[in-house]
Amino acid sequence: GTWTGDSRIEPYGLEQIEVLKGPSSVMYGQIPPGGMVNMISKRPTDELIREIEVQYGSNKHKQLAADFAGAFDPAQTVQYRFTGLIKDGDAVVDHAKDKRYFFAPSLKWNISDKTSLTLLGRYQKSKTALAGGFLPMEGTLTSNPNGHISKRLFTGEPGYDNYDKESMSIGYELEHKLSDKTAFRQNLRYAKSEVDHKSVGTLGFIPGSQRILSRYVYPLEESSKSFTIDNQFTTKFDTGAVKHNVIAGFDYRDGKNDYASGFGFGVGTLDAFNPVYGSAVVTPDYNYHQIQKQKQYGLYAQDEMSYDKWRFTLGARHDWADTTTTDRMTNKTSKQKDSAWSTRAAVGYAFNDDLTAYTAFSTSFQPTIGTTFNGSAFKPSKGRQVEVGLKYQPTRHTLITAALYDMTQSNISVVDPDHIFFSIQQGKIRVKGAELEAKVRINRNLSLDASYTYTNAKISKTTDATLLNTQVPLVSRHQASFGATYDFKEGTLKGLSLNGAVRFTGKHYGAAGDKLQTPGYAVFDAGVGYQWDKWKVQLNASNLFNRRYVSACNQTFWCYY
């Protein structure tokens, strides 16, 4: 969706999360050039699973989850899986609550030794009372004669602020092996979501005050629907000494997004240091209502080749996107057609079984859902990247990687300075960076995990000359993490595990033009667990030393603890 329809995927329903770095449009369609997060839901398995999980935590967090899998018959012809979760709790902010229900049934039918069909369903409902978390700079990032603003401050009105979302999806994965080396796959999914959201937000202190907050009322409704189908052939063959692994296919997506919102000042002010609630709230009529429909078609092919110690990848994709935008306030409709090629080329050399060097070039294309304040549809965002790197894997439990990259992205969406709830597309950015990652098992007890990222993201083309060569907002140049896990494998402490980690985020700017600098911060996490037989108990602590920090300020009146 434009704003909220795609958010809040339940992590308990995921089998694994894959982070693909760099442009991946050739294989995965319309995505940003920085990469994608591929969230793979839990699927039926021939392994018998009987898991029940109970959680209790800070802010009255309570959660009950279950995961069951197995087969209906000894031959494993029909397999099933059911994952479910019920969650209830408060939040760090006063008067905020979060209830969530999640159910995901799935069924796999092994029709024959060559054909299988997997049905996947998901239903999720969230009922939340929340506040936007928008706080002024004075009292959070900088000093205020009245002191620090409490991290528990609720800036809305109890009983009015809500975020209710209902989402579902249903689909299937069909696989048929035409031979030992050739297969056809078809993946289909229909998904929809409904969001009802009313909030009271703040626009900082009223003029002349450093404690009284001005507030606004912002209701919105959003409905999103999408239908996606991907048809794919895979085959392996040899041409002389060159081995090929070819993937080719056609995909189609039909999406509709209906978004309506209002804005008004029908609510009283609030003392940030002595809040008194009970102000009458007047919900404004919608002054923005747009329906956007988009159809996307894509043809793609990729060939992964290997010759001796050399590895080659060549891929190409062509996309077509038709977008129709209707402004329900004026009943005006605009149409836009876009198309583009995405390409990928990579060369790798395996010095031995442990060390591989590679270089890669890729481009991306992403139609952008949404419109400007005046109703103009956004242009597609395009990107390109060059990358070189090394991968070192001496054992199955040790992986060390290093990469350098240079990426550009055009038609970037940024906050509209004249209409804060809207975006504009402005120019191009260039990102140069380096990444180091290490996952190392020192011995059978101790494992280490470390990473460091350097990101130099600059605005390289813009309609505002004052922003040229300034840092991209909300992007830190330096990020790092280090973690360790120690498992006791024997003796009286067998089954005990200890873990700890530190996460560092460097300083960054919250607004274009190198303004509103937010200092860097580091937080520590820790955990202890014990497992015996079929039982496991785990205690986790995030931000162990309770450090108060501001993660970002993207306006002087919108800072976030």
Side-chain angles (χ1 to χ4, degrees):
T2 307
W3 285 70
T4 57
D6 290 336
S7 62
R8 296 193 170 191
I9 301 298
E10 175 53 52
Y12 186 76
L14 300 178
E15 188 72 46
Q16 66 186 56
I17 299 176
E18 299 175 342
V19 179
L20 305 179
K21 300 176 182 179
S24 302
S25 285
V26 169
M27 291 304 302
Y28 297 99
Q30 301 85 4
I31 59 174
M36 63 172 284
V37 178
N38 186 27
M39 294 176 284
I40 302 173
S41 58
K42 291 179 177 178
R43 284 156 165 74
T45 172
D46 55 6
E47 176 188 0
L48 185 65
I49 297 176
R50 296 290 186 270
E51 178 181 281
I52 295 178
E53 179 185 275
V54 178
Q55 289 186 10
Y56 184 81
S58 304
N59 305 306
K60 300 180 181 179
H61 167 76
K62 301 177 286 293
Q63 179 171 303
L64 175 64
D67 187 16
F68 296 93
F72 286 115
D73 61 310
Q76 305 279 345
T77 303
V78 181
Q79 302 169 3
Y80 66 89
R81 190 158 191 172
F82 177 82
T83 306
L85 175 145
I86 300 175
K87 173 186 175 183
D88 191 10
D90 296 341
V92 173
V93 176
D94 290 337
H95 307 291
K97 299 181 182 297
D98 185 16
K99 292 184 178 181
R100 188 176 304 179
Y101 309 91
F102 170 81
F103 305 100
S106 57
L107 193 69
K108 182 178 182 181
W109 179 21
N110 294 307
I111 302 172
S112 68
D113 58 350
K114 294 183 178 181
T115 307
S116 66
L117 177 66
T118 303
L119 304 177
L120 298 166
R122 177 183 63 87
Y123 174 81
Q124 185 171 329
K125 186 173 184 178
S126 302
K127 294 184 68 65
T128 307
L130 61 93
F134 307 144
L135 300 173
M137 181 176 65
E138 294 176 298
T140 56
L141 186 64
T142 61
S143 62
N144 186 310
N146 298 293
H148 281 289
I149 297 176
S150 171
K151 66 182 181 181
R152 303 196 66 90
L153 176 64
F154 180 79
T155 58
E157 277 296 324
Y160 181 83
D161 291 73
N162 78 293
Y163 179 95
D164 295 340
K165 176 183 176 181
E166 188 174 32
S167 63
M168 59 81 65
S169 66
I170 189 169
Y172 67 77
E173 296 177 344
L174 173 66
E175 180 177 2
H176 178 68
K177 296 179 180 178
L178 301 171
S179 68
D180 292 340
K181 297 184 177 181
T182 303
F184 169 76
R185 296 182 179 90
Q186 184 180 79
N187 300 325
L188 179 147
R189 185 178 68 169
Y190 171 78
K192 70 175 184 178
S193 65
E194 302 283 343
V195 174
D196 177 65
H197 180 32
K198 296 191 299 292
S199 66
V200 171
T202 70
L203 293 173
F205 295 120
I206 63 176
S209 173
Q210 290 182 299
R211 66 180 302 144
I212 305 301
L213 295 169
S214 66
R215 297 194 294 174
Y216 62 86
V217 186
Y218 187 68
L220 72 85
E221 290 183 71
E222 183 177 22
S223 174
S224 301
K225 297 179 181 179
S226 67
F227 171 81
T228 307
I229 186 169
D230 181 23
N231 302 282
Q232 184 182 100
F233 280 94
T234 61
T235 185
K236 297 179 180 180
F237 60 90
D238 299 339
T239 55
V242 180
K243 299 181 182 298
H244 298 262
N245 184 3
V246 175
I247 300 175
F250 168 77
D251 57 28
Y252 168 76
R253 181 181 183 274
D254 189 341
K256 178 182 178 182
N257 183 263
D258 187 334
Y259 182 88
S261 64
F263 181 83
F265 292 98
V267 63
T269 59
L270 186 73
D271 188 331
F273 298 93
N274 184 28
V276 177
Y277 303 102
S279 170
V281 181
V282 179
T283 301
D285 294 332
Y286 290 145
N287 53 21
Y288 178 91
H289 188 183
Q290 288 192 339
I291 298 176
Q292 197 157 49
K293 300 178 181 179
Q294 191 173 79
K295 294 183 178 181
Q296 302 174 11
Y297 313 82
L299 280 171
Y300 61 90
Q302 178 175 282
D303 187 2
E304 295 180 348
M305 296 165 280
S306 61
Y307 171 75
D308 193 23
K309 295 185 177 182
W310 291 92
R311 306 291 183 267
F312 305 91
T313 300
L314 293 174
R317 177 187 179 94
H318 192 75
D319 283 294
W320 298 264
D322 297 339
T323 305
T324 301
T325 303
T326 301
D327 188 332
R328 294 300 300 273
M329 306 304 294
T330 62
N331 287 323
K332 292 183 179 179
T333 298
S334 61
K335 296 184 178 181
Q336 181 173 322
K337 292 181 178 290
D338 301 292
S339 64
W341 283 96
S342 302
T343 56
R344 182 185 184 193
V347 179
Y349 184 81
F351 292 96
N352 49 48
D353 293 339
D354 302 339
L355 182 64
T356 300
Y358 69 91
T359 182
F361 170 82
S362 51
T363 62
S364 67
F365 167 74
Q366 184 188 24
T368 305
I369 290 287
T371 63
T372 61
F373 176 77
N374 63 15
S376 300
F378 287 140
K379 297 178 181 179
S381 175
K382 296 181 180 181
R384 58 188 296 170
Q385 176 177 293
V386 177
E387 180 181 351
V388 295
L390 292 171
K391 294 183 179 181
Y392 178 62
Q393 190 170 16
T395 68
R396 186 166 63 92
H397 300 291
T398 296
L399 175 64
I400 301 173
T401 63
L404 299 172
Y405 65 90
D406 188 336
M407 180 181 68
T408 60
Q409 184 178 2
S410 61
N411 296 328
I412 303 300
S413 296
V414 298
V415 174
D416 186 337
D418 299 319
H419 309 94
I420 59 174
F421 292 103
F422 295 87
S423 298
I424 58 175
Q425 289 185 304
Q426 190 177 69
K428 181 185 295 185
I429 65 171
R430 185 175 183 181
V431 184
K432 297 179 181 180
E435 294 184 348
L436 295 172
E437 282 190 80
K439 299 179 185 295
V440 180
R441 175 171 288 186
I442 303 300
N443 52 45
R444 64 191 301 260
N445 303 103
L446 179 62
S447 298
L448 304 179
D449 189 337
S451 68
Y452 168 75
T453 301
Y454 171 78
T455 308
N456 185 9
K458 295 284 186 74
I459 298 173
S460 60
K461 183 179 179 181
T462 173
T463 56
D464 186 347
T466 63
L467 302 181
L468 194 63
N469 293 321
T470 59
Q471 188 79 356
V472 175
L474 305 179
V475 177
S476 302
R477 288 201 177 192
H478 304 279
Q479 293 188 71
S481 66
F482 178 81
T485 301
Y486 191 91
D487 295 311
F488 292 87
K489 302 289 187 180
E490 54 197 7
T492 56
L493 297 179
K494 181 180 179 180
L496 181 68
S497 64
L498 305 173
N499 64 79
V502 56
R503 296 173 280 121
F504 170 76
T505 300
K507 63 182 181 180
H508 60 270
Y509 296 100
D514 293 350
K515 299 176 182 178
L516 292 178
Q517 187 181 85
T518 302
Y521 54 89
V523 292
F524 292 82
D525 307 323
V528 57
Y530 186 73
Q531 183 167 354
W532 73 102
D533 195 23
K534 297 180 180 181
W535 292 87
K536 182 177 182 180
V537 178
Q538 180 78 26
L539 175 65
N540 299 316
S542 299
N543 193 6
L544 184 64
F545 302 113
N546 199 32
R547 176 172 181 177
R548 179 179 58 198
Y549 62 93
V550 174
S551 60
C553 284
N554 53 3
Q555 300 280 350
T556 58
F557 47 82
W558 277 355
C559 294
Y560 313 89
Y561 276 132

